[in-house]
Amino acid sequence: MKLVLAAALAFLAPLPALAQTGPTTPTQKLPPANPLPYEDPEVAAVMTPINALFAAIARRDGQAALPYVRAEGRATATGTKPDGTPVITSHSWAEFAAGITPGPERFEERMTGPAVEIDGDIAMVWGDYVFLVDGKTRHCGVDHFDLVRDNGSWKILNVTWSRRTTGCPGQ
Protein backbone atom coordinates (compact mmCIF):
# COMPACT_ATOMS: atom_id res chain seq x y z
CA MET A 1 0.00 0.00 0.00
CA LYS A 2 2.84 2.39 0.89
CA LEU A 3 4.47 1.67 -2.48
CA VAL A 4 1.27 2.50 -4.40
CA LEU A 5 0.79 5.73 -2.39
CA ALA A 6 4.41 6.76 -2.95
CA ALA A 7 4.07 6.15 -6.71
CA ALA A 8 0.86 8.19 -6.86
CA LEU A 9 2.43 11.09 -4.94
CA ALA A 10 5.51 11.03 -7.18
CA PHE A 11 3.27 11.16 -10.25
CA LEU A 12 1.37 14.16 -8.87
CA ALA A 13 4.48 16.06 -7.74
CA PRO A 14 5.24 19.24 -9.70
CA LEU A 15 7.73 18.91 -12.54
CA PRO A 16 11.03 20.78 -12.24
CA ALA A 17 11.15 24.06 -14.15
CA LEU A 18 12.39 23.70 -17.71
CA ALA A 19 15.53 25.61 -18.60
CA GLN A 20 15.10 28.56 -20.97
CA THR A 21 17.11 27.88 -24.13
CA GLY A 22 17.19 31.46 -25.35
CA PRO A 23 14.86 33.78 -27.21
CA THR A 24 12.38 32.33 -29.68
CA THR A 25 13.40 32.98 -33.26
CA PRO A 26 10.78 33.81 -35.91
CA THR A 27 11.21 30.36 -37.49
CA GLN A 28 10.07 28.76 -34.24
CA LYS A 29 6.76 30.63 -34.15
CA LEU A 30 3.52 29.08 -35.29
CA PRO A 31 2.07 30.36 -38.56
CA PRO A 32 -0.79 32.83 -38.25
CA ALA A 33 -4.11 31.16 -37.50
CA ASN A 34 -6.73 31.01 -40.21
CA PRO A 35 -9.91 32.84 -39.25
CA LEU A 36 -12.83 30.69 -38.21
CA PRO A 37 -14.71 29.16 -39.80
CA TYR A 38 -11.75 27.83 -41.78
CA GLU A 39 -12.58 26.50 -45.20
CA ASP A 40 -10.26 25.42 -47.98
CA PRO A 41 -11.38 27.22 -51.16
CA GLU A 42 -10.71 24.16 -53.35
CA VAL A 43 -12.79 21.93 -51.07
CA ALA A 44 -15.55 24.56 -51.13
CA ALA A 45 -15.40 24.55 -54.94
CA VAL A 46 -15.73 20.74 -55.02
CA MET A 47 -18.70 20.89 -52.63
CA THR A 48 -20.51 23.55 -54.71
CA PRO A 49 -22.17 21.17 -57.22
CA ILE A 50 -23.03 18.71 -54.43
CA ASN A 51 -24.72 21.45 -52.42
CA ALA A 52 -26.50 22.59 -55.59
CA LEU A 53 -27.78 19.04 -56.14
CA PHE A 54 -29.09 18.92 -52.56
CA ALA A 55 -30.73 22.34 -53.06
CA ALA A 56 -32.43 21.14 -56.27
CA ILE A 57 -33.75 18.10 -54.38
CA ALA A 58 -35.04 20.37 -51.59
CA ARG A 59 -36.79 22.59 -54.17
CA ARG A 60 -38.09 19.43 -55.85
CA ASP A 61 -36.69 20.73 -59.14
CA GLY A 62 -34.67 18.02 -60.86
CA GLN A 63 -33.89 20.23 -63.84
CA ALA A 64 -32.04 22.63 -61.51
CA ALA A 65 -29.50 19.85 -60.81
CA LEU A 66 -28.52 19.28 -64.44
CA PRO A 67 -26.07 22.21 -64.82
CA TYR A 68 -23.96 20.66 -62.02
CA VAL A 69 -23.58 17.17 -63.49
CA ARG A 70 -21.94 15.56 -66.53
CA ALA A 71 -24.68 14.11 -68.76
CA GLU A 72 -22.83 10.81 -69.31
CA GLY A 73 -22.70 10.12 -65.57
CA ARG A 74 -25.02 8.06 -63.40
CA ALA A 75 -26.91 8.13 -60.11
CA THR A 76 -26.80 4.69 -58.47
CA ALA A 77 -28.36 3.48 -55.22
CA THR A 78 -27.82 0.23 -53.36
CA GLY A 79 -30.01 -1.28 -50.67
CA THR A 80 -32.10 -4.28 -49.77
CA LYS A 81 -35.71 -5.16 -50.39
CA PRO A 82 -37.95 -5.98 -47.39
CA ASP A 83 -37.30 -9.69 -48.05
CA GLY A 84 -33.52 -9.10 -47.74
CA THR A 85 -32.75 -9.31 -51.46
CA PRO A 86 -30.02 -6.85 -52.49
CA VAL A 87 -31.06 -4.27 -55.07
CA ILE A 88 -29.10 -1.83 -57.21
CA THR A 89 -30.83 0.92 -59.17
CA SER A 90 -28.97 3.12 -61.62
CA HIS A 91 -30.24 6.06 -63.65
CA SER A 92 -28.83 8.54 -66.10
CA TRP A 93 -28.81 12.10 -64.83
CA ALA A 94 -31.74 12.90 -67.13
CA GLU A 95 -33.75 10.03 -65.59
CA PHE A 96 -32.71 11.06 -62.09
CA ALA A 97 -33.78 14.68 -62.71
CA ALA A 98 -37.11 13.54 -64.21
CA GLY A 99 -37.80 11.59 -61.01
CA ILE A 100 -37.60 14.72 -58.85
CA THR A 101 -41.05 16.24 -59.24
CA PRO A 102 -43.02 18.92 -57.40
CA GLY A 103 -45.06 17.79 -54.44
CA PRO A 104 -46.30 18.86 -51.03
CA GLU A 105 -43.60 17.05 -48.98
CA ARG A 106 -40.39 18.83 -47.99
CA PHE A 107 -37.24 16.92 -48.99
CA GLU A 108 -33.86 17.47 -47.37
CA GLU A 109 -30.59 15.60 -47.69
CA ARG A 110 -27.86 16.25 -45.14
CA MET A 111 -24.32 15.01 -45.57
CA THR A 112 -22.22 15.16 -42.43
CA GLY A 113 -18.44 15.37 -42.24
CA PRO A 114 -17.65 14.57 -45.88
CA ALA A 115 -14.15 13.39 -46.73
CA VAL A 116 -12.89 15.26 -49.79
CA GLU A 117 -9.95 14.05 -51.87
CA ILE A 118 -8.68 16.08 -54.82
CA ASP A 119 -6.02 15.18 -57.36
CA GLY A 120 -5.71 17.65 -60.20
CA ASP A 121 -8.98 17.62 -62.11
CA ILE A 122 -10.64 14.73 -60.27
CA ALA A 123 -12.20 14.69 -56.83
CA MET A 124 -13.98 12.20 -54.61
CA VAL A 125 -16.39 13.09 -51.80
CA TRP A 126 -17.54 10.42 -49.35
CA GLY A 127 -19.71 10.86 -46.28
CA ASP A 128 -22.66 9.79 -44.20
CA TYR A 129 -26.02 11.25 -45.15
CA VAL A 130 -29.56 11.30 -43.90
CA PHE A 131 -32.59 11.94 -46.12
CA LEU A 132 -35.59 13.62 -44.50
CA VAL A 133 -39.17 14.02 -45.68
CA ASP A 134 -41.09 16.72 -43.82
CA GLY A 135 -38.32 16.79 -41.22
CA LYS A 136 -38.49 13.06 -40.45
CA THR A 137 -35.75 10.60 -41.36
CA ARG A 138 -36.79 8.48 -44.34
CA HIS A 139 -33.46 6.72 -44.95
CA CYS A 140 -29.72 7.13 -44.49
CA GLY A 141 -26.41 5.70 -45.66
CA VAL A 142 -23.23 6.83 -47.34
CA ASP A 143 -22.93 9.12 -50.38
CA HIS A 144 -19.98 8.72 -52.75
CA PHE A 145 -19.49 11.41 -55.40
CA ASP A 146 -17.00 11.31 -58.30
CA LEU A 147 -16.35 14.77 -59.71
CA VAL A 148 -14.32 16.17 -62.58
CA ARG A 149 -13.19 19.70 -63.29
CA ASP A 150 -14.85 20.77 -66.54
CA ASN A 151 -13.79 24.10 -68.07
CA GLY A 152 -12.71 25.36 -64.64
CA SER A 153 -15.85 24.24 -62.75
CA TRP A 154 -16.42 21.08 -60.77
CA LYS A 155 -19.18 18.78 -62.07
CA ILE A 156 -20.59 15.61 -60.59
CA LEU A 157 -19.86 12.69 -62.87
CA ASN A 158 -21.36 9.93 -60.71
CA VAL A 159 -23.02 9.57 -57.35
CA THR A 160 -23.48 6.23 -55.63
CA TRP A 161 -25.22 5.83 -52.30
CA SER A 162 -26.20 3.12 -49.90
CA ARG A 163 -29.72 3.24 -48.53
CA ARG A 164 -31.03 1.81 -45.29
CA THR A 165 -34.09 2.55 -43.20
CA THR A 166 -32.84 1.34 -39.82
CA GLY A 167 -30.08 2.66 -37.58
CA CYS A 168 -30.35 6.19 -38.98
CA PRO A 169 -29.69 9.34 -36.94
CA GLY A 170 -32.91 10.81 -35.60
CA GLN A 171 -34.90 7.58 -35.63
Side-chain angles (χ1 to χ4, degrees):
M1 178 72 171
K2 285 184 182 180
L3 184 58
V4 172
L5 182 58
L9 290 174
F11 179 75
L12 296 173
L15 294 173
L18 297 175
Q20 180 69 21
T21 59
T24 303
T25 62
T27 58
Q28 292 175 323
K29 290 183 179 179
L30 292 174
N34 289 309
L36 294 176
Y38 172 72
E39 191 169 272
D40 180 327
E42 190 68 4
V43 168
V46 166
M47 292 302 296
T48 295
I50 295 170
N51 292 331
L53 174 65
F54 291 163
I57 291 169
R59 288 193 313 271
R60 302 199 54 167
D61 181 359
Q63 297 304 305
L66 294 179
Y68 300 97
V69 302
R70 298 267 312 182
E72 69 273 18
R74 310 270 317 155
T76 304
T78 66
T80 55
K81 293 180 181 178
D83 67 1
T85 305
V87 62
I88 298 172
T89 58
S90 187
H91 301 283
S92 70
W93 282 114
E95 293 166 332
F96 178 85
I100 301 172
T101 58
E105 301 91 3
R106 289 179 299 113
F107 291 169
E108 180 182 4
E109 184 161 350
R110 296 181 191 160
M111 188 177 190
T112 55
V116 179
E117 296 290 334
I118 304 167
D119 184 43
D121 290 334
I122 65 168
M124 185 229 30
V125 177
W126 172 286
D128 293 329
Y129 80 90
V130 62
F131 189 85
L132 302 113
V133 176
D134 291 331
K136 293 186 173 118
T137 300
R138 175 68 57 93
H139 62 269
C140 64
V142 171
D143 280 336
H144 173 253
F145 290 89
D146 294 317
L147 298 97
V148 293
R149 195 181 333 242
D150 182 12
N151 292 321
S153 296
W154 288 101
K155 302 267 183 165
I156 301 168
L157 179 60
N158 298 301
V159 61
T160 305
W161 66 95
S162 59
R163 182 176 27 207
R164 64 180 178 275
T165 56
T166 59
C168 297
Q171 285 184 322

